[in-house]
Amino acid sequence: MTLPRTPDPGADAAAQYAARVQRVRDAVALRTPDRVPVFGPYQKYVYTHGGLTMRTAMTDYAAARAACHAFQDRFGPDLDFGPILAYPAKPMETLGYRAFRWPGHGLPDDAMYQYVEGEYMTAAEYDDFINDPSDFMFRTWAPRQFAALDGFAAPAPWRRFMWTGWMGLGALASPEARRSMQAAIQAGEEVDAWFASIGQYTAETNAKGYPLAYAGFDWAPFDILGDTLRGTTSILADMRRRPSKLHDALKVATRIFVEYAAPAASAELPIVWIWVHKATREFMSDAQFREFYWPYFREGLLALVDMGIIPLVYWEADFASRLEAITDVPKGKLIYHLAGTDPEQAREALAGTVCLMGSVPNIQLLAGTPDDVRATCRRLIDTLGRDGGYIMDTAVMLDEAKPENLAAMIEFTKEYGVYR
Amino acid sequence: MRDELVRAISDMEEDEALRLCAAWLAAGGDPSEVLDAAKSALGIVGERYDAREYFLPELIIAGDLMRDIAALVKPHLADADEPRPARGRVVIGTVAGDIHDIGKDIVIFMLEVNGFEVVDLGVDVPAEAFVERVRETRPAVVALSGFLTLAFDQMRLTVQALVDAGLRSGVKVMIGGAIMDDDVRSYVGADAYGSDAQAAVRLATAWIG
């Protein structure tokens, strides 16, 4: 497999675009592609590389796009994210978003934004969520998450809108409700401006011959409840304290999971990224994983696969103890991303079932040398990539690196990862 | 009562444990026996965690139970309960720029269960704050926690700050977090890394005794 660098197929961008899509599709389907695809693994790094603070990237959309283009032009990965992970600061300010801290809002200018957990749904509110999730999210959850949306608590539940229900519309005329609706409209306009920038980048990058790495993002049913509603400690204790309520809520969350990803089905490269948060070996036993986490997640993943979506499951920790359970998925339809799981062990359990991705230690890109990185990539291509079914990527999303190390990862993969 | 209480707590029967405590205290039972039983039960929880029978859910419930039991017992105590001599002091915190606390809190729980005194500096702790508290409390161990990759550089800065303040040689430094390994340890200049809370206890025990 060791060979001199092959030029990208075809000079013209459309052919390169098609070749990159095919390369990834072949890897996912466990066929042998022309070479190992390589992902441009950035989160904050792309902006550091482009000379921007995270704060600027979250406010100056044109600068964020330019930074993503500069990265792509220098490193030339097969796939990348574009500016989607530089969340827009302005609407977050407008809404008074309590569940995040970001640069200029509780964090220094060059920090990555971070999520602030809380118990945004109490134990007593399980039934409200189970019986009418939309009402719960709108009237109870949103006012807790967003300071400016407190007025959404005012109206009666929309499920009572028939017959005389409309006579309750007066609640929307209250000062709080007006204020919240105004804030929502303003934030909506601000979010639209950001999405316009994302759309512009997508069109530009496609025209250069690059597909986007994502068609959607999603969260496992257990994490939908655990991250954003109950909080980690509460949901973990719920497995013992109120298991049947948790099961009922997980059924609802599974429907939301499928609904969330569904629009991605129409994309040319319909990859939906799902970061696994609460399933790590510290957080629950294997028995708890098999009872509460995996069955609902698996059901949702299978539904996505049926729609033609390629779920990319980001197993962001050491998942060695779960390997046996998570093998039970259809062959050639999913990508499993590896961070702390031993690659050899993962290969034994999963090769021939799912396409594997990742595993280059982030510390190596920051503190190692290009030779270290090349040695790691060689080992990964020789083991995980030897029969196809592997996509080169870092272990976790990239915030810090030396550019020469990143270049080594991408260039070496393009040379050594060619299948003969 | 004692055995029943130990069993109820260690088997995660929250309602039963609290009922037993309340009944014992209402009948004029010795409150220090309740505390003693709770400590034994906590030891069992720690052992089961070590043995990978228990995980974070059980530590959370045990922690909640301890709080509830302490609140029940408090009005019945004549003086403050005698402080147990600690095995040694550990200063711990999540480094600057990182606000993750769950991993750190598991480590604190396990260190305390095992008799160490823990000074928790919280999350997003600047290097100077570590230096200040190390100077003030003279711990045997400094534990740096971090979940994000930015922690690589922050941990390194923090260790360097301890060196600059002339405090590094007086302490052992351990690091922990999902993405820590020996390469990170060497980059940071720490003495050891731990991949889980048991590792933190093993390291502290080896260093302090």
Side-chain angles (χ1 to χ4, degrees):
Chain A
M1 211 188 308
T2 132
L3 254 208
R5 176 182 196 131
T6 45
D8 278 310
D12 105 276
Q16 289 199 30
Y17 179 91
R20 290 189 167 107
V21 169
Q22 192 58 43
R23 190 172 293 140
V24 174
R25 282 203 170 271
D26 283 345
V28 173
L30 309 177
R31 295 186 294 259
T32 310
D34 57 346
R35 70 161 162 77
V36 173
V38 55
F39 174 63
Y42 59 69
Q43 183 172 249
K44 192 187 87 174
Y45 178 72
V46 68
Y47 307 112
T48 315
H49 173 263
L52 304 183
T53 61
M54 198 61 208
R55 183 172 187 168
T56 306
M58 292 174 73
T59 46
D60 184 342
Y61 307 150
R65 285 197 310 274
C68 293
H69 279 303
F71 179 98
Q72 194 169 59
D73 294 342
R74 175 168 183 183
F75 298 107
D78 289 310
L79 300 162
D80 60 41
F81 269 155
I84 190 93
L85 296 181
Y87 286 4
K90 213 168 173 191
M92 289 160 74
E93 296 283 354
T94 301
L95 292 171
Y97 203 173
R98 292 191 178 103
F100 269 82
R101 284 196 211 160
W102 59 93
H105 195 101
L107 286 178
D109 285 2
D110 59 348
M112 187 63 199
Y113 53 79
Q114 291 170 49
Y115 186 66
V116 184
E117 274 210 357
E119 197 180 73
Y120 299 111
M121 176 178 100
T122 67
E125 289 166 343
Y126 261 104
D127 283 336
D128 296 342
F129 173 75
I130 292 163
N131 294 333
D132 191 343
S134 293
D135 180 60
F136 177 77
M137 296 304 282
F138 187 76
R139 294 192 312 121
T140 307
W141 182 85
R144 287 178 189 161
Q145 286 268 300
F146 304 100
L149 300 187
D150 57 344
F152 281 5
W158 296 101
R159 62 176 176 265
R160 299 208 307 252
F161 204 52
M162 73 291 279
W163 291 112
T164 58
W166 62 274
M167 294 176 195
L169 285 176
L172 293 180
S174 69
E176 315 83 71
R178 280 171 195 267
R179 214 177 43 238
S180 289
M181 285 190 290
Q182 283 302 334
I185 290 166
Q186 189 187 328
E189 288 170 352
E190 290 161 355
V191 167
D192 272 352
W194 180 68
F195 271 124
S197 168
I198 303 293
Q200 184 181 335
Y201 178 83
T202 306
E204 290 165 354
T205 197
N206 289 351
K208 281 161 70 183
Y210 293 94
L212 276 184
Y214 67 91
F217 300 102
D218 208 345
W219 294 267
F222 193 93
D223 293 338
I224 287 176
L225 296 175
D227 294 348
T228 53
L229 295 169
R230 293 289 287 139
T232 304
T233 52
S234 298
I235 198 167
L236 294 183
D238 287 346
M239 292 191 290
R240 278 194 172 267
R241 285 181 176 148
R242 44 191 73 82
S244 69
K245 286 280 178 236
L246 180 53
H247 277 298
D248 288 346
L250 283 165
K251 286 175 200 150
V252 176
T254 305
R255 291 204 303 270
I256 298 174
F257 170 82
V258 175
E259 200 179 292
Y260 223 110
S266 59
E268 201 157 356
L269 196 53
I271 300 178
V272 170
W273 290 63
I274 307 145
W275 280 269
V276 169
H277 291 155
K278 309 275 187 265
T280 70
R281 61 176 184 168
E282 291 290 313
F283 283 8
M284 58 178 76
S285 68
D286 283 339
Q288 286 162 337
F289 176 76
R290 284 171 189 269
E291 179 180 351
F292 294 98
Y293 201 100
W294 181 239
Y296 300 99
F297 190 24
R298 181 176 177 276
E299 181 188 328
L301 290 172
L302 266 47
L304 266 48
V305 166
D306 280 346
M307 290 188 257
I309 288 171
I310 303 169
L312 190 162
V313 185
Y314 211 94
W315 298 101
E316 196 172 4
D318 182 352
F319 277 94
S321 64
R322 319 281 198 221
L323 286 173
E324 197 192 319
I326 65 177
T327 309
D328 183 20
V329 289
K331 286 185 199 321
K333 302 291 184 191
L334 295 94
I335 303 170
Y336 278 3
H337 191 286
L338 305 173
T341 311
D342 174 54
E344 193 55 48
Q345 228 178 325
R347 195 195 66 81
E348 255 169 57
L350 298 167
T353 302
V354 294
C355 173
L356 297 171
M357 178 170 177
S359 248
V360 179
N362 287 53
I363 185 69
Q364 217 168 51
L365 290 187
L366 172 65
T369 65
D371 279 342
D372 296 336
V373 174
R374 280 188 281 266
T376 299
C377 293
R378 179 189 296 268
R379 188 170 44 79
L380 289 171
I381 291 171
D382 286 348
T383 53
L384 300 184
R386 69 176 169 228
D387 307 311
Y390 175 64
I391 300 172
M392 182 64 70
D393 186 15
T394 44
V396 298
M397 303 293 288
L398 192 65
D399 288 343
E400 299 84 12
K402 287 185 196 142
E404 61 271 27
N405 289 342
L406 189 55
M409 178 181 117
I410 292 172
E411 281 164 19
F412 182 81
T413 305
K414 286 184 178 178
E415 290 165 18
Y416 186 73
V418 174
Y419 292 99
R420 300 281 296 168
Chain B
M1 185 286 298
R2 190 179 189 286
D3 291 351
E4 279 174 87
L5 181 57
V6 170
R7 193 202 54 79
I9 298 172
S10 55
D11 288 354
M12 304 286 116
E13 291 170 14
E14 293 176 277
D15 294 346
E16 176 66 1
L18 293 174
R19 192 192 64 75
L20 285 167
C21 290
W24 176 257
L25 294 168
D30 181 354
S32 66
E33 275 193 45
V34 172
L35 290 177
D36 197 49
K39 278 176 196 163
S40 303
L42 218 50
I44 296 173
V45 171
E47 283 165 20
R48 290 181 185 171
Y49 179 79
D50 276 340
R52 297 210 164 275
E53 283 167 52
Y54 280 178
F55 291 81
L56 190 49
E58 291 75 22
L59 298 191
I60 292 164
I61 288 173
D64 286 354
L65 256 177
M66 287 304 123
R67 232 187 344 266
D68 293 347
I69 290 173
L72 277 179
V73 168
K74 206 170 175 197
H76 297 271
L77 285 177
D79 332 291
D81 191 25
E82 86 295 354
R84 202 157 43 129
R87 290 170 72 180
R89 188 174 293 141
V90 180
V91 164
I92 189 169
T94 304
V95 295
D98 195 328
I99 58 172
H100 290 86
D101 59 3
I102 291 170
K104 171 181 70 66
D105 291 346
I106 308 178
V107 170
I108 292 173
F109 183 94
M110 287 303 288
L111 286 171
E112 286 181 343
V113 163
N114 284 279
F116 294 97
E117 182 195 338
V118 181
V119 180
D120 179 12
L121 307 189
V123 298
D124 190 15
V125 182
E128 313 83 68
F130 274 103
V131 168
E132 200 177 302
R133 294 306 292 277
V134 167
R135 189 173 281 136
E136 209 174 282
T137 63
R138 295 286 162 182
V141 175
V142 176
L144 306 178
S145 172
F147 180 77
L148 304 172
T149 53
L150 67 81
F152 299 156
D153 281 327
Q154 274 304 329
M155 287 178 169
R156 191 183 202 189
L157 274 172
T158 306
V159 172
Q160 190 55 47
L162 291 171
V163 173
D164 295 344
L167 297 166
R168 178 67 181 88
S169 56
V171 293
K172 292 282 192 184
V173 177
M174 63 165 95
I175 60 170
I179 44 169
M180 301 305 154
D181 61 19
D182 204 52
D183 288 339
V184 181
R185 181 207 62 75
S186 132
Y187 179 72
V188 164
D191 295 297
Y193 80 97
S195 55
D196 52 31
Q198 296 97 310
V201 173
R202 275 197 304 275
L203 289 169
T205 304
W207 288 336
I208 299 176

